Amino acid sequence: MSLTTVDKKVPSLCPICHKVIEAHLFEEDGAVRLVKNCQEDGEFEDIYWSDANLYKKFDQYKIDGDGMDNPNTHSEHSCPFDCGLCQNHKTGTLLAIIDLTNRCNLKCPVCFANAEVTGHLYEPSLDMIREMMQNLRDEQPVPCPAVQFSGGEPTLREDLPMITAMARDMGFSQIQIATNGIKLASSIELCRSLVRNGMHTIYLQFDGVTPEPYIRLRGRDILSIKMKVLENCRRSGLTSVVLVPTLERGVNDDQMGDMVRFAVQNLDVVKGVNVQPVSFTGRIDQEERSERRITIPDFLALLEEQTDNQITREDFYPVPFVAPLSYLIEAETGLPQVLFSVHPHCGAATYIFHHQDKLIPINRFVDVEGFFELVKDVVADFNGSRLDRLKMTGKIIKDLPRLIDDRKAPDDLHIKKMIMNMLKNGSRDSLSEFHNKTLFLGAMHFQDLYNFDLERVQRCGIHYATPDGKIIPFCTYNTLHRQEIEDRFSVDMKPS
């Protein structure tokens, strides 16, 4: 790992006037901080990453994708005001978000969305939703593979099953909803209808295993509702739930270990925990940010402490770490693949196994770094012929045993056999077996105007599709573009 001190300039935004200004990233007291100065509004400083060594480790995995061959707009002013996507964007759409409504049955102070507080109703028609999805599927060289329906609260739309069926029929291989779960808890028939109509994954707002975080973040205790959602998902066959905690210092930062343990105890339906450290947008008091700010390394430190080092920061990798898999699949199939060229400081992830009351990260018995180096090497030597494709697969299968320590693996996992079957046959059964026995554990820290880094924006892989035909990176949509889009496509609400 390079020990060079972090000292670089990145383009950012003034949090007051939104002018593009330069920010300085620098190392101080073992952390990476960001400072920027606007001539009109003064100086702003914030924490960027709380662990400088981990920042440097992740930074080694930075790669540039090629973006899209058919950008939706062209840069005329400057990034990020021409979103999107313009020709300057470096990552295609890995996951698209479509807001189905701004109505909600909660009023959460940490919400990105307006959630009906403006007196305007934003609720795209079915035709508009179809056009947004078609725009995503028309992306080149790789159609967007995954769509998440969000809001507001998407389950408030009575036509949600129809929308998921539409997404299925248009070829999306992963269909999700982001939900607070209130409607799913009250209606098992809705759960069953979503399964019948193509829903794959529920991203369930889940802030802790006691009532207190919900009271603070959601305004009331809704923990029992979360338990009922899991029960209804279990009964309806909807067995891919990702728990999504909004992590905030002093609210639920003492429950990360308990949430992971809760997830593995419900592994039959819960397949992941995806943590979102709070971003200071919406109706949050900005003056409190220095006390409440929490970064990805802070989250990893909490896991270390609360799992007695069964899970550590060394078990996690940034999103672009897995990019070699895209190159391998492309070589195997001859078809272009989505490239995980997301900025290395946007997120972190690993896979966890639960065995004899212990939490075992995958890298404890699989040399994952060695595996991806092997994949990179064999793909680099690939010449495109069928014979070379067979040699490439054979090389990986031959070298695989030295990368796996069966003595440290869970007894019932058989991971070597699973990987070999996937390489030989492209076996979906092997992939399903892997996911059924593992817990995805990750974090994605969305930006706000105080820690904004435009280099991260240009590598964003999570994009909003909007009714005007644009595809906009997550962090610019929620900090700059959401209000204008919702104002343009909303109608006045009738008084109740």
Side-chain angles (χ1 to χ4, degrees):
M1 186 196 315
S2 171
L3 297 179
T4 304
T5 299
V6 178
D7 185 8
K8 63 179 294 189
K9 303 292 178 64
V10 297
S12 184
L13 293 176
C14 171
I16 307 301
C17 69
H18 299 177
K19 183 186 298 182
V20 175
I21 57 176
E22 187 176 73
H24 180 203
L25 296 183
F26 62 97
E27 188 174 341
E28 182 179 87
D29 298 329
V32 177
R33 300 191 66 82
L34 176 149
V35 64
K36 52 190 175 182
N37 193 291
C38 175
Q39 291 183 349
E40 285 79 24
D41 299 301
E43 184 175 273
F44 305 90
E45 185 172 345
D46 211 330
I47 190 77
Y48 188 91
W49 261 51
S50 59
D51 184 331
N53 286 332
L54 195 64
Y55 172 97
K56 297 168 195 174
K57 175 186 175 180
F58 276 34
D59 201 50
Q60 294 179 330
Y61 294 103
K62 182 184 289 184
I63 61 171
D64 282 345
D66 296 325
M68 293 197 311
D69 294 344
N70 56 335
N72 298 78
T73 188
H74 293 276
S75 182
E76 297 178 1
H77 301 95
S78 65
C79 181
F81 304 111
D82 293 311
C83 293
L85 296 171
C86 80
Q87 71 274 17
N88 294 325
H89 203 81
K90 294 177 170 60
T91 302
T93 308
L94 306 178
L95 171 66
I97 300 176
I98 296 178
D99 281 346
L100 299 185
T101 181
N102 70 334
R103 290 184 293 138
C104 193
N105 42 16
L106 285 177
K107 288 183 170 62
C108 307
V110 295
C111 186
F112 287 114
N114 287 330
E116 208 178 357
V117 299
T118 62
H120 299 289
L121 177 65
Y122 174 80
E123 199 155 286
S125 67
L126 284 175
D127 286 342
M128 295 167 78
I129 294 167
R130 182 181 292 105
E131 289 175 6
M132 285 188 270
M133 288 198 287
Q134 189 61 58
N135 194 20
L136 294 164
R137 294 297 293 163
D138 287 342
E139 287 185 335
Q140 298 173 8
V142 185
C144 169
V147 62
Q148 181 181 104
F149 299 114
S150 187
E153 174 51 48
T155 59
L156 294 183
R157 288 203 47 154
E158 298 295 329
D159 55 0
L160 179 59
M162 188 185 304
I163 293 169
T164 62
M166 189 192 308
R168 176 197 60 199
D169 295 343
M170 295 179 76
F172 287 96
S173 58
Q174 178 63 216
I175 303 167
Q176 309 171 356
I177 58 169
T179 176
N180 59 35
I182 293 174
K183 289 275 286 186
L184 298 181
S186 66
S187 174
I188 192 171
E189 279 308 313
L190 176 58
C191 296
R192 289 170 174 157
S193 179
L194 291 174
V195 172
R196 288 194 301 270
N197 285 282
M199 181 64 63
H200 298 112
T201 300
I202 303 297
Y203 262 59
L204 179 65
Q205 175 199 93
F206 191 92
D207 298 315
V209 295
T210 65
E212 289 77 16
Y214 298 97
I215 295 170
R216 288 281 301 276
L217 294 172
R218 311 301 167 189
R220 60 190 177 103
D221 175 14
I222 52 174
L223 178 59
S224 61
I225 289 174
K226 310 301 179 179
M227 302 300 108
K228 184 64 175 177
V229 172
L230 297 183
E231 179 186 336
N232 282 353
C233 286
R234 189 175 279 119
R235 291 171 58 198
S236 63
L238 220 172
T239 57
S240 179
V241 178
V242 176
L243 307 181
V244 186
T246 296
L247 183 61
E248 187 171 335
R249 194 180 299 281
V251 175
N252 56 357
D253 55 338
D254 61 339
Q255 296 199 21
M256 278 316 312
D258 289 337
M259 282 191 267
V260 172
R261 284 183 282 269
F262 174 86
V264 298
Q265 289 162 7
N266 292 274
L267 199 58
D268 60 323
V269 289
V270 176
K271 302 307 179 191
V273 179
N274 200 3
V275 175
Q276 296 179 356
V278 66
S279 294
F280 296 104
T281 59
R283 301 184 300 278
I284 272 189
D285 184 359
Q286 300 287 4
E287 293 180 1
E288 298 178 17
R289 62 190 170 87
S290 60
E291 295 180 5
R292 297 164 64 188
R293 173 72 76 197
I294 194 162
T295 69
I296 288 173
D298 295 323
F299 154 66
L300 302 181
L302 293 171
L303 281 177
E304 289 179 341
E305 177 185 347
Q306 295 170 25
T307 65
D308 295 325
N309 286 316
Q310 290 184 58
I311 305 171
T312 74
R313 68 194 69 198
E314 298 303 321
D315 301 318
F316 284 79
Y317 295 90
V319 176
F321 176 74
V322 300
L325 281 182
S326 297
Y327 296 129
L328 175 63
I329 297 170
E330 190 167 310
E332 289 276 5
T333 64
L335 300 173
Q337 301 294 312
V338 291
L339 182 63
F340 289 79
S341 53
V342 173
H343 193 281
H345 300 116
C346 285
T350 190
Y351 281 96
I352 303 292
F353 297 83
H354 187 229
H355 184 62
Q356 296 179 351
D357 292 326
K358 291 183 179 179
L359 302 169
I360 308 174
I362 189 172
N363 59 310
R364 303 297 176 86
F365 55 91
V366 177
D367 180 1
V368 292
E369 294 180 33
F371 176 74
F372 282 107
E373 283 298 321
L374 171 63
V375 169
K376 282 198 292 187
D377 289 345
V378 298
V379 171
D381 294 335
F382 177 59
N383 65 16
S385 70
R386 184 175 181 276
L387 177 61
D388 214 48
R389 185 176 292 112
L390 294 173
K391 288 181 179 178
M392 179 178 65
T393 303
K395 170 69 172 170
I396 296 174
I397 292 173
K398 176 176 178 291
D399 287 0
L400 188 63
R402 68 176 174 83
L403 301 173
I404 298 174
D405 188 342
D406 289 320
R407 297 168 303 170
K408 296 181 180 179
D411 297 337
D412 61 344
L413 184 58
H414 311 302
I415 192 166
K416 195 182 301 181
K417 180 180 178 182
M418 278 191 280
I419 296 175
M420 286 185 172
N421 283 340
M422 283 186 281
L423 290 168
K424 290 178 180 177
N425 311 314
S427 172
R428 284 188 175 271
D429 290 340
S430 296
L431 192 60
S432 296
E433 183 183 356
F434 176 81
H435 283 294
N436 286 337
K437 293 185 176 181
T438 63
L439 179 76
F440 171 84
L441 183 54
M444 183 66 70
H445 193 177
F446 298 113
Q447 300 183 97
D448 54 56
L449 289 167
Y450 288 88
N451 60 9
F452 215 77
D453 175 356
L454 285 176
E455 287 188 359
R456 282 184 57 185
V457 168
Q458 292 178 348
R459 289 169 171 80
C460 176
I462 303 176
H463 305 150
Y464 278 85
T466 59
D468 58 358
K470 291 186 176 181
I471 299 170
I472 302 177
F474 188 103
C475 291
T476 55
Y477 184 74
N478 284 304
T479 53
L480 297 175
H481 299 287
R482 173 184 286 279
Q483 189 65 58
E484 186 270 333
I485 292 292
E486 290 193 354
D487 286 349
R488 188 149 42 112
F489 294 97
S490 293
V491 296
D492 288 337
M493 294 183 65
K494 296 179 181 178
S496 57

